[in-house]
Amino acid sequence: MDLAKHLTAVIMAALLINVHGCPNNCSCRWKSGKETVDCARKGIQKIPDGIASGTQVLNVSGNPLVTVPSQAFLQAGLLNLQRIYLSRCNLKQVSEFAFAQLTNLIDLDIGYNSLVSVPSKSFTECPALRRLVLSGNPIAKLEANAFTRLSFLTVLEISHCQIRVVAPRAFDGLTALTHLKLDGNQLTTLKGGVVVALVSLHGAALQGNPWRCDCALREMRVWLVKGRVPCPIPPVCEQPPRVRGIPLDRVDLTELACEPRGNSEQTMSVFVGSDAAISCRTSAVPEAQVRWAKAGRVLVNWTSTSTSVVSGRRYLIVENGTTDKTSTLVIPAVQNADAGVYTCRANNRAGEWSAGTNLHVLHVSLAASKLNRHQIVALIAGILIVVVLLLLIGVLVGRRRKSLVKSVSSKDKNVNGVSYSGDNNCHSKMIRRTLLSNCTSYESADCQAYAKSFLDNTLLSRPDVVNVQTENESLTISLTPAETNNKWPPSIATGNRASEEKRPSRYALLTTFQSSDDLLCDQFEASFVSGPDKLLKTDAWDQ
């Protein structure tokens, strides 16, 4: 009886869904205890309207939706959705807020669409997601932090996606992930650190990738074997040829090798008698064995190679490092016969690398060869000392000859009762001359003009400071016309006047010059030219 009542209630609920909350052409029914709306392959181009708000499962797979717009399910009132199936809808874009406020969503299938990258930002609105299917999308790379918001995700399916690269932190945040499907992609390698972070993983599908089983897969093999991660179908090696077709977990660790790579100097030049040290640097996993050879003959460490190119020659070979190794061949006291190409050859399980260094032997001149190293250093030091001394002498001579102008503050002077001021720039001596000239004029201004004209014509090149005073008393002196015209400047000359009232005028010449030599000062003082006028007084003093 109770069973009959339950069935009746289920039938009535299904009828109510079909009448009040089911879009046209869609199937609305209870399935596995969930209110389900199935609109798969109905040719719809958007999320249909009229779906009951209590719907928990929505299947719109196989429809040409192309995009899932922002708040598509929120605007349809479908906040109770737990499972959404959007596979094979030719989706090219999933909006950042497409699943806004779907806090109950635990299962999302957006597989086999046209997405070229993981729509990571779209998952921030559904943190309770448990299962995510991205398989079948043309995704070439899994970026870092692609799933960082999905801390409750347990199943991640990314099969058949064309993935070639998985970034080191692509799976960060997936602490609860138990099953990972990466099969059917284009992966050749996978860094061990990428998958080691998946601490809760119980199973992985990695088959169907063209794995290159070299040293880069060592960490992944250790993770698979020691971590006991179940792989129903183990990954199989595609490259290199020596391990092709062998499951990764059965390949010996020494076979997961990377062929050596390296570099060395192409040429080296040393003087005869000097030691030569030729180095090559190699990188290989596992460690490569390094050998040196010349002209096809192997050079053995500290062993006489009397049958080799250089009879009775001994060599020292020094190695540092393992997987990253530096090997140095030392040739003591190089001779002419040591010139030639020295080959560094490194090999391991994966292959071989080699490079040659051409050694040139140089000869020094006879004079230089007679000097040892200490003698050469002493000779260079002596030359440097001589050069420094010559430079110091040149600086001292230059300072003695160079003129140094010293600014002296202005100070009032007095010449014959007339005050004047001048700029004293003399370093050692200052000469002051007081001269008296006889001016033929009634006006003091004319006499001053004469004095200026006289100075301009006679002492223009001297750094003089001039102050002119005309005395009050008059003096009558007879002059001939020739004397008048020749002695006075044209602007002052009075022509043929037989007599004129003359006014004695005095002017001072303050001459300064610079010298640190007192003798030179005295010579300059003696050579001072005062002109045709009467020299009344000469003063000279040290500054």
Side-chain angles (χ1 to χ4, degrees):
M1 191 61 143
D2 291 337
L3 179 59
K5 289 181 179 180
H6 178 70
L7 290 175
T8 302
V10 170
I11 293 171
M12 292 299 295
L15 291 173
L16 287 173
I17 291 174
N18 288 328
V19 172
H20 298 289
C22 191
N24 294 331
N25 299 325
C26 295
S27 171
C28 303
R29 58 195 178 93
W30 285 87
K31 184 178 180 181
S32 301
K34 304 290 183 183
E35 191 173 336
T36 304
V37 175
D38 188 353
C39 300
R41 297 177 294 279
K42 299 301 181 181
I44 58 178
Q45 297 182 354
K46 67 173 186 175
I47 305 300
D49 298 326
I51 301 177
S53 60
T55 300
Q56 296 168 296
V57 179
L58 176 62
N59 183 6
V60 290
S61 299
N63 291 290
L65 299 181
V66 181
T67 183
V68 182
S70 180
Q71 301 182 352
F73 303 97
L74 175 61
Q75 292 176 358
L78 303 176
L79 298 181
N80 290 318
L81 285 174
Q82 297 178 10
R83 292 185 172 88
I84 300 177
Y85 302 103
L86 291 164
S87 64
R88 304 182 189 277
C89 290
N90 195 30
L91 292 177
K92 297 181 179 180
Q93 181 182 9
V94 178
S95 173
E96 180 177 353
F97 300 103
F99 308 112
Q101 299 187 28
L102 297 186
T103 55
N104 294 325
L105 187 65
I106 59 173
D107 191 347
L108 176 62
D109 185 352
I110 51 176
Y112 296 92
N113 284 292
S114 300
L115 300 174
V116 296
S117 62
V118 178
S120 304
K121 293 182 179 180
S122 303
F123 305 144
T124 58
E125 295 289 331
C126 42
L129 204 61
R130 299 290 192 275
R131 176 175 176 266
L132 175 62
V133 179
L134 288 164
S135 301
N137 285 286
I139 300 172
K141 180 180 180 180
L142 294 182
E143 301 286 353
N145 301 312
F147 311 99
T148 187
R149 303 274 181 166
L150 304 178
S151 58
F152 293 101
L153 195 71
T154 57
V155 178
L156 177 59
E157 299 182 17
I158 328 175
S159 305
H160 306 285
C161 281
Q162 305 178 24
I163 297 173
R164 296 178 179 274
V165 179
V166 178
R169 304 184 61 183
F171 299 131
D172 278 15
L174 297 179
T175 55
L177 194 70
T178 58
H179 292 83
L180 173 65
K181 290 188 176 182
L182 276 171
D183 53 298
N185 285 290
Q186 299 298 315
L187 291 170
T188 58
T189 187
L190 189 65
K191 294 294 181 69
V194 173
V195 289
V196 167
L198 303 175
V199 293
S200 301
L201 203 63
H202 297 321
L206 301 171
Q207 72 277 8
N209 288 285
W211 296 109
R212 180 174 182 82
C213 295
D214 58 12
C215 63
L217 278 187
R218 284 191 164 203
E219 287 181 305
M220 192 177 94
R221 182 190 178 280
V222 171
W223 172 71
L224 287 173
V225 175
K226 293 188 177 181
R228 298 180 180 179
V229 179
C231 287
I233 303 176
V236 177
C237 297
E238 181 71 21
Q239 293 291 337
R242 69 177 186 277
V243 293
R244 181 178 295 152
I246 303 177
L248 177 61
D249 58 350
R250 296 184 184 178
V251 177
D252 190 87
L253 198 61
T254 58
E255 292 288 349
L256 297 178
C258 289
E259 63 185 37
R261 294 285 184 270
N263 62 81
S264 65
E265 298 175 277
Q266 293 184 347
T267 60
M268 175 179 287
S269 298
V270 295
F271 288 103
V272 65
S274 301
D275 295 342
I278 309 173
S279 297
C280 73
R281 290 159 290 279
T282 61
S283 178
V285 178
E287 177 185 356
Q289 184 178 12
V290 179
R291 292 185 174 89
W292 288 91
K294 181 183 180 185
R297 299 296 183 90
V298 176
L299 306 180
V300 183
N301 194 19
W302 280 125
T303 300
S304 175
T305 57
S306 57
T307 59
S308 184
V309 176
V310 184
S311 178
R313 205 72 174 94
R314 289 178 178 271
Y315 303 94
L316 174 63
I317 299 174
V318 180
E319 290 187 351
N320 291 300
T322 54
T323 55
D324 293 318
K325 178 185 293 186
T326 299
S327 179
T328 302
L329 173 67
V330 180
I331 308 173
V334 170
Q335 303 300 319
N336 291 332
D338 291 319
V341 177
Y342 290 82
T343 301
C344 173
R345 182 174 288 109
N347 63 79
N348 67 359
R349 191 78 174 179
E352 182 179 282
W353 169 88
S354 65
T357 299
N358 194 359
L359 179 65
H360 299 281
V361 179
L362 306 178
H363 295 268
V364 296
S365 64
L366 180 61
S369 64
K370 293 181 179 180
L371 297 177
N372 60 34
R373 183 177 300 174
H374 298 290
Q375 290 173 328
I376 294 174
V377 171
L379 178 62
I380 295 174
I383 293 173
L384 290 176
I385 292 173
V386 171
V387 171
V388 171
L389 290 175
L390 290 175
L391 289 175
L392 290 175
I393 293 171
V395 170
L396 293 175
V397 171
R399 286 184 176 179
R400 182 173 180 85
R401 293 180 178 178
K402 186 177 179 182
S403 297
L404 301 174
V405 179
K406 180 181 180 182
S407 176
V408 181
S409 61
S410 299
K411 183 177 181 181
D412 290 340
K413 303 293 181 179
N414 187 279
V415 180
N416 298 325
V418 180
S419 64
Y420 68 94
S421 62
D423 294 329
N424 292 335
N425 295 320
C426 180
H427 179 69
S428 176
K429 291 282 187 177
M430 184 173 70
I431 301 173
R432 182 178 62 200
R433 300 287 178 133
T434 305
L435 296 94
L436 174 66
S437 68
N438 294 320
C439 174
T440 305
S441 177
Y442 294 100
E443 302 294 337
S444 296
D446 290 339
C447 288
Q448 293 178 356
Y450 157 70
K452 181 178 184 304
S453 176
F454 170 76
L455 294 171
D456 288 344
N457 291 320
T458 307
L459 302 172
L460 183 62
S461 62
R462 294 186 179 280
D464 298 334
V465 179
V466 180
N467 188 294
V468 179
Q469 175 194 6
T470 302
E471 293 187 349
N472 295 326
E473 62 270 19
S474 299
L475 181 65
T476 301
I477 301 175
S478 297
L479 297 175
T480 65
E483 289 176 327
T484 303
N485 290 330
N486 292 334
K487 184 172 183 177
W488 310 116
S491 59
I492 306 299
T494 57
N496 295 323
R497 296 179 59 176
S499 64
E500 292 289 344
E501 181 181 0
K502 293 188 177 181
R503 293 181 178 275
S505 62
R506 293 183 180 141
Y507 52 91
L509 302 180
L510 180 61
T511 303
T512 62
F513 64 97
Q514 177 182 335
S515 175
S516 59
D517 191 338
D518 290 341
L519 179 60
L520 182 62
C521 288
D522 296 338
Q523 291 175 349
F524 181 83
E525 179 181 351
S527 65
F528 182 84
V529 179
S530 61
D533 295 305
K534 182 180 179 181
L535 179 62
L536 299 182
K537 184 180 181 183
T538 298
D539 297 317
W541 62 91
D542 293 330
Q543 294 197 93

